Amino acid sequence: MANILAVAIPQRGALGPASYELLGAGRVLADALKLPLNAAVVGANAKALAADIGARGAEKTYAVEHPSLANFTEEAYAKAVAAAVAAAGATRVILPSSVAGRALAARLAVLLKAGLATDVTEILPDGKVRRGYFSGNLVAEIEFKTPVAVLTVAPMTFPRAEAKGAANVQDVSFDPGAAKSEFVSFAAEASREIDLGAAEKVVAGGFGLGGPDGFKAVFDLAHALGAAVGASRRAVDSGWIPYRHQVGLTGRMVRPKLYIAVGISGQIQHLAGMSNAGTIVAINTDKDCPLMQMASIAVQGEYAELLPSSPPRSRTARATPSPPSAHRPQRLRSVPSRGPAVRFVQDGERDGHVLRGRSGLTLADHPSRLANL
Amino acid sequence: MCVKSTPSSVNVGVDASGQPKIAGVPTSLNPFDEFAVEESVRLKERVAGSTATAITVGNDAAAEVLREAIARGMDAGVHVSGAEFDGGDSFATSLALSAAIKKLHGEKPVSLVIFGKNTSDIGGGVVGTQTAAWLDWASASAVKKIDAIDEKSVTVLRNMEDGADTLKLALPACVATVKEINEPRLPSLKGKMASKKAVFPKWGAAELGLQAGQVGAAGAGSTVVKAALPPARPAGLKIEGATAAEKATKLVDILVERKLI
């Protein structure tokens, strides 16, 4: 019978916690359509990974294991996932919105003659889905017209399904056939920074940092908070930080619980990549720049003066002399403010104007649209 | 390589029927496609005897992006056009593209099809891979470098979340690029002259061997039933303070209070 299949895609043989979000999204869709939820894992060690995934609310877990799936190539993986879809008889296939997930979704849509929606941020009770488009200026409500549909879900959007009970794993045989793509090698990113896509906290720097040295403060703060490091296009284009840190339309889409933007003015292309973050803190000298206007919390001032005094570790040491944790940032506790009472000023001017583009910030306003990517 | 005409501004509202208000908004070459055009021209310059052709699916106005591609150094353009293509999603549009590529391939072998990262309007970032799937060709997305290429294969570097993969794809193949791949040059005077004179063959579904029901809205696998403005973010706070230290203290207090750090 019809069912939902959440497909976990390992990277370098391992599944990240973001995989559990696929089961979270799958549960929402399964409840909406009143269909069973199943899971699938493909890879060279799929069977070993299936138990973890399958224990998170899936009735059955299909493992497609084959040596040819040791590394991600589009055609082989697409065939493997298609084999799992066939074994399950699935009518909805859920994939991550990663490089691999997006490519797989595209191939599966053609293989399965299925409608496709990428970067899904919401699943509606009637099974329709929502996704942002026009650079996040609009939200589309999408209806599938085909019996089978494929969707990729935006990271950090759906709850991570908890383990409960044991997995019911079923092996799926798979013949990769002749390969047109050959995996040659992998060069790991040198830095061991937290990946932006799955980060719960992001500290990002922009042109307002004044130079590559400014990123030292951003990295320090990020490390203190256990956050990933992001950057604006101008900072990346200026060569201050590698492209992979770029957040925005041309870079990564992020949805952390906390996004701290330091010296980022908030061009619409940047906002498109982070406006769905939970709490947005803007630190900038220009109180009128778009990011300061749309931020949940805006702090006007020089970052160089604000940041060194704000890393929370030293405060923690004073506030909570509890045993330090070796491998994660210490949990902080609120302390009574000894200074003047904190004063909050409501800013009636801001309600997402810039995001919606009514401020007049447009790609076309600039000499070259390219300059803004 | 494949290009798309997209609204010059993504700053669009919603019309009375609940669809994006794009009527009257000027259109231009999808900015991400500039990198793909540039890479095609660079490859053409690198591989002796090769030519670069741009393809677009769209209405009459969309032919302008083919002119833009010529101005930027491409040799020729193909305009897939007709009312039957209206309302297509990535599924239907990639089928139309694949049919056009197949037709070109029959005339003169195609080695590599290059796409931008995604479009500035719909932005699914899937059409390149879907086109490859229809053609049953190899493909890679998030390509940041096109390395060695010969008659049989191409070596590409693919940006992954945790580093870069090197892949060898059998030709013909499709690749979707990222902006890291190059720095596009501006159109040359010679290119602009050529673009003015360029004439593009116009192919409808019939010329591509497709039924009208396979493309456009009729062939789409999904449809946007409604567009809406995103929900407004709740009003923000401004932190005031006499000194930077005071502001920083307040900020940390709020973040701690909200259990964000």
Side-chain angles (χ1 to χ4, degrees):
Chain A
M1 81 178 266
N3 63 87
I4 315 291
L5 189 68
V7 184
I9 311 296
Q11 201 159 34
R12 320 299 157 202
L15 288 173
S19 301
Y20 308 148
E21 294 169 16
L22 304 173
L23 274 294
R27 176 45 56 205
V28 177
L29 188 57
D31 289 349
L33 299 177
K34 299 188 175 51
L35 291 174
L37 171 62
N38 295 315
V41 192
V42 297
N45 59 339
K47 288 177 200 169
L49 301 171
D52 180 27
I53 279 293
R56 294 171 190 268
E59 283 187 19
K60 276 187 195 164
T61 302
Y62 298 88
V64 189
E65 183 167 307
H66 195 277
S68 68
L69 303 172
N71 289 289
F72 175 65
T73 55
E74 292 185 1
E75 307 99 286
Y77 264 64
K79 276 187 205 166
V81 178
V85 172
T91 44
R92 290 287 182 277
V93 182
I94 299 178
L95 289 153
S97 292
S98 56
V99 171
R102 188 181 306 275
L104 279 178
R107 285 215 167 240
L108 283 171
V110 173
L111 283 175
L112 307 171
K113 302 290 173 277
L116 168 64
T118 56
D119 307 289
V120 168
T121 53
E122 206 179 337
I123 293 167
L124 303 178
D126 60 1
K128 291 199 196 83
V129 298
R130 289 199 177 127
R131 68 181 294 267
Y133 69 154
F134 287 90
S135 307
N137 281 284
L138 295 178
V139 177
E141 196 170 304
I142 292 171
E143 184 174 47
F144 298 112
K145 295 166 66 185
T146 45
V148 178
V150 178
L151 43 149
T152 77
V153 293
M156 305 295 291
T157 303
F158 292 93
R160 290 177 182 173
E162 304 279 343
K164 48 179 180 190
N168 174 10
V169 180
Q170 191 173 316
D171 293 347
V172 178
S173 64
F174 156 69
D175 173 16
K180 294 192 182 79
S181 305
E182 181 194 331
F183 179 88
V184 178
S185 62
F186 167 64
E189 170 69 358
S191 77
R192 300 309 304 158
E193 297 295 332
I194 296 167
D195 182 55
L196 274 169
E200 297 213 333
K201 296 172 214 164
V202 173
V203 183
F207 201 65
L209 293 175
D213 293 347
F215 268 96
K216 191 180 175 301
V218 167
F219 274 93
D220 285 350
L221 181 60
H223 292 156
L225 298 175
V229 173
S232 72
R233 173 197 60 80
R234 279 189 82 189
V236 170
D237 285 358
S238 302
W240 300 349
I241 184 164
Y243 166 68
R244 66 172 53 254
H245 290 279
Q246 186 170 328
V247 171
L249 202 51
T250 337
R252 302 288 296 278
M253 307 294 272
V254 300
R255 199 173 187 166
K257 288 181 180 146
L258 174 65
Y259 189 88
I260 302 180
V262 188
I264 299 178
S265 64
Q267 293 292 313
I268 200 161
Q269 293 76 14
H270 187 76
L271 301 184
M274 45 63 74
S275 60
N276 283 325
T279 298
I280 296 168
V281 176
I283 296 175
N284 209 300
T285 52
D286 176 9
K287 69 177 168 52
D288 297 320
C289 70
L291 224 152
M292 289 285 276
Q293 295 288 309
M294 65 84 75
S296 325
I297 305 172
V299 190
Q300 189 187 1
E302 292 286 346
Y303 80 89
E305 292 171 16
L306 286 161
L307 287 198
S309 53
S310 62
R313 253 179 205 213
S314 55
R315 284 182 54 78
T316 310
R318 272 183 281 137
T320 51
S322 52
S325 158
H327 52 272
R328 66 186 188 109
Q330 295 169 16
R331 181 154 292 282
L332 300 166
R333 213 166 59 192
S334 183
V335 291
S337 174
R338 277 184 294 274
V342 175
R343 193 160 66 89
F344 297 141
V345 179
Q346 293 280 344
D347 180 359
E349 292 300 306
R350 58 131 329 281
D351 63 355
H353 282 192
V354 174
L355 267 185
R356 294 191 179 179
R358 283 186 228 107
S359 70
L361 252 188
T362 75
L363 288 167
D365 288 338
H366 297 275
S368 164
R369 297 203 294 160
L370 191 61
N372 294 295
L373 291 177
Chain B
M1 63 86 41
C2 299
V3 288
K4 184 179 177 187
S5 169
T6 60
S8 297
S9 170
V10 289
N11 186 2
V12 294
V14 179
D15 67 17
S17 69
Q19 292 294 331
K21 206 155 59 187
I22 47 174
V25 177
T27 56
S28 53
L29 178 64
N30 170 40
F32 297 96
D33 291 345
E34 293 184 21
F35 302 94
V37 168
E38 175 67 24
E39 199 58 25
S40 306
V41 174
R42 287 187 188 193
L43 265 181
K44 180 192 88 165
E45 290 165 353
R46 216 165 91 187
V47 182
S50 65
T51 57
T53 303
I55 306 179
T56 196
V57 180
N59 59 18
D60 287 350
E64 284 311 305
V65 302
L66 295 176
R67 250 172 249 292
E68 174 79 15
I70 304 280
R72 289 170 178 272
M74 306 221 28
D75 300 301
V78 170
H79 190 186
V80 177
S81 189
E84 65 270 31
F85 297 105
D86 290 352
D89 64 348
S90 65
F91 184 81
T93 303
S94 60
L95 175 63
L97 281 173
S98 69
I101 292 163
K102 226 180 264 175
K103 187 169 157 76
L104 278 174
H105 193 55
E107 293 168 5
K108 183 189 173 198
V110 173
S111 301
L112 192 62
V113 188
I114 305 179
F115 295 79
K117 173 176 174 265
N118 53 242
T119 56
S120 58
D121 49 5
I122 309 303
V126 290
V127 169
T129 315
Q130 282 181 303
T131 303
W134 286 114
L135 291 164
D136 197 18
W137 290 0
S139 63
S141 54
V143 168
K144 65 170 181 177
K145 188 176 181 190
I146 296 178
D147 212 333
I149 182 164
D150 59 30
E151 280 163 19
K152 291 254 164 33
S153 68
V154 62
T155 301
V156 300
L157 264 69
R158 173 175 67 192
N159 242 359
M160 297 297 278
E161 288 81 2
D162 57 349
D165 285 337
T166 301
L167 302 163
K168 195 170 172 183
L169 310 178
L171 295 178
C174 297
V175 296
T177 54
V178 290
K179 103 174 193 175
E180 217 179 348
I181 197 162
N182 59 43
E183 278 185 41
R185 292 164 286 188
L186 290 171
S188 66
L189 189 62
K190 192 179 151 212
K192 282 182 183 167
M193 300 287 283
S195 78
K196 285 199 184 109
K197 283 182 270 177
V199 179
F200 308 113
K202 217 163 154 177
W203 294 346
E207 281 90 351
L208 298 178
L210 296 172
Q211 305 295 318
Q214 288 179 279
V215 294
S222 66
T223 180
V224 175
V225 288
K226 199 166 77 186
L229 296 174
R233 292 186 67 86
L237 305 171
K238 271 189 177 172
I239 292 186
E240 306 277 327
T243 63
E246 191 188 331
K247 289 182 194 174
T249 305
K250 286 177 185 176
L251 173 61
V252 172
D253 281 348
I254 295 167
L255 295 180
V256 169
E257 191 185 310
R258 294 189 186 178
K259 296 188 167 58
L260 288 165
I261 58 174

